[in-house]
Amino acid sequence: AGLNDEQVAFYLVANYQDVSELLKVEEAWFLVSPELRSPMHGNMAAFANEATALATLQTKPGQVVRWEELKD
């Protein structure tokens, strides 16, 4: 029995560049890459801005996406 969006005020993710910073998922940029190892096997990382995500894409091939694309 999971929660639906109406029951959650907001979702947060850790910034890949600074894990002490939490980002709202709607404002974050995500890099999905097989080279990223994440605890839940999502193979993705969150970034505060598109430029940082694209810069990381140069060393970790994958795809830069927004939350709406991941959510679907």
Side-chain angles (χ1 to χ4, degrees), residues 2-62:
L3 298 175
N4 62 43
D5 286 343
E6 290 77 35
Q7 295 171 298
V8 178
F10 51 88
Y11 295 98
L12 299 173
V13 290
N15 182 349
Y16 184 76
Q17 298 296 109
D18 177 4
V19 295
S20 68
E21 178 186 10
L22 297 176
L23 308 169
K24 289 185 177 180
V25 293
E26 298 86 2
E27 297 171 5
W29 292 81
F30 294 87
L31 172 58
V32 180
S33 170
E35 294 189 17
L36 292 168
R37 304 286 186 235
S38 57
M40 301 300 286
H41 301 288
N43 297 339
M44 70 180 80
F47 296 85
N49 57 62
E50 182 182 24
T52 308
L54 291 172
T56 306
L57 179 63
Q58 301 303 310
T59 60
K60 298 188 184 311

